[in-house]
Amino acid sequence: MAVGFVQERERIIRQQQEAIRELSTPVLQVRERLLILPIIGVIDPQRARQLTEQLLRAIRANRAKVVVIDITGVAAMDSSVANHLVQTVEASRLLGATVIVTGLSPEIAQTLVTIGVDLSEMATVGDLQGGIEEAERLLGYKVLPFEELTPKA
Amino acid sequence: MTLLLTPSTESRGSPDPEAGHYLIASIQSALTDADLSQLREALIERVGRFRARGVIVDVTALDVMDSFAVRTLRDIAHMARLRGAETVIVGIQPRWRSPWSSSASR
């Protein structure tokens, strides 16, 4: 009786953990062939793996050409996570998508330079706005205010 | 002492909107290691705050440049790149050749 109760609880906890993990890595399409992957919170190796998997699947499904990974919400990053990020970028490239990483905090920039992770292959832009602007440039979009589109009377 | 110049009105009103802002750090006198670290922190923080696309570090006024200074400048360049800005270092003098070539600068 007591064992069954504990097992049931364990099952619910596992289910909820799974739900949190699913929710924590949304891949969003903002334009035709442009995806955004905002990452918030701590990245552990398991989450990093899941993140890569979901991103690659989404690139396939949406035929994405450019992906913006925004890590503004990530407080810290160690070498294993950084290397995983580099691998994700590499894998995306093989699927035909260019990855732009945005929102590196000064702390993360400092850590990465100090521990000497080679990020020269990775395109990084300061913030999400800059990243989307760069992605639009790569895709050939140009965003204009409405007044400039309508001919002046 | 270092003069940190933030985006000027000229650069903000530049005809090309793609040009973006740039930061200028003009080093006015000899810097201690602590000063250099502080300069690095300040620059990297400002790159994000002003959405700068470029950083210019002027080292003309320096008489000597040791390996720590070279490494710090290299780190500034790398960190600024990660935050979305290119770095240009101006005023390197020929007599500093040895520390620059011995440490793997970019």
Side-chain angles (χ1 to χ4, degrees):
Chain A
M1 172 70 186
V3 174
F5 182 67
V6 170
Q7 274 177 348
E8 178 62 14
R9 276 181 69 132
E10 290 280 320
R11 197 184 61 77
I12 290 172
I13 290 171
R14 259 202 312 278
Q15 218 173 22
Q16 285 173 341
Q17 268 177 345
E18 201 51 45
I20 291 171
R21 285 192 188 283
E22 285 292 322
L23 283 173
S24 67
T25 50
V27 183
L28 313 166
Q29 176 162 354
V30 277
R31 294 226 196 298
E32 203 56 45
R33 312 195 77 183
L34 167 56
L35 298 178
I36 292 190
L37 173 66
I39 305 177
I40 291 169
V42 182
I43 311 178
D44 54 13
Q46 197 193 340
R47 195 176 164 204
R49 206 167 38 241
Q50 191 205 359
L51 212 125
T52 310
E53 228 171 81
Q54 282 202 348
L55 176 64
L56 296 181
R57 225 177 292 145
I59 289 174
R60 199 73 188 274
N62 297 295
R63 305 185 61 239
K65 214 173 156 190
V66 183
V67 179
V68 178
I69 300 182
D70 181 61
I71 57 167
T72 312
V74 180
M77 188 178 274
D78 60 9
S79 59
S80 72
V81 173
N83 282 323
H84 204 101
L85 199 63
V86 173
Q87 284 170 14
T88 307
V89 172
E90 196 60 20
S92 307
R93 202 175 54 79
L94 291 175
L95 287 180
T98 311
V99 177
I100 300 169
V101 180
T102 66
L104 279 94
S105 65
E107 291 76 26
I108 290 183
Q110 194 154 354
T111 319
L112 293 182
V113 171
T114 313
I115 61 181
V117 181
D118 184 23
L119 296 173
S120 51
E121 295 297 306
M122 220 158 74
T124 54
V125 180
D127 52 14
L128 183 60
Q129 184 188 344
I132 292 175
E133 282 165 4
E134 175 69 14
E136 281 169 342
R137 203 181 56 73
L138 287 172
L139 288 166
Y141 288 113
K142 193 172 169 69
V143 179
L144 290 173
F146 193 65
E147 301 86 74
E148 283 181 38
L149 285 170
T150 48
K152 287 191 181 69
Chain B
M1 197 190 98
T2 311
L3 216 60
L4 270 178
L5 302 178
T6 42
S8 63
T9 42
E10 294 98 79
S11 76
R12 204 168 307 178
S14 88
D16 180 11
E18 298 285 300
H21 309 316
Y22 53 89
L23 305 174
I24 304 171
S26 175
I27 298 173
Q28 307 282 302
S29 62
L31 297 179
T32 64
D33 289 2
D35 291 339
L36 279 163
S37 301
Q38 211 180 340
L39 170 66
R40 184 187 61 201
E41 311 295 306
L43 269 178
I44 299 310
E45 189 265 324
R46 276 163 205 237
V47 166
R49 178 143 53 98
F50 294 103
R51 307 192 67 227
R53 299 308 304 267
V55 178
I56 301 170
V57 184
D58 179 18
V59 294
T60 318
L62 287 181
D63 291 328
V64 286
M65 176 157 295
D66 58 11
S67 62
F68 184 85
V70 176
R71 208 175 60 232
T72 307
L73 285 177
R74 194 199 58 191
D75 285 356
I76 287 175
H78 283 161
M79 289 180 197
R81 184 68 214 86
L82 288 175
R83 306 260 286 153
E86 292 294 337
T87 303
V88 176
I89 294 171
V90 296
I92 294 171
Q93 288 169 42
R95 62 173 189 277
W96 295 342
R97 186 172 44 84
S98 57
W100 279 94
S101 49
S102 60
S103 86
S105 50
R106 191 164 66 114

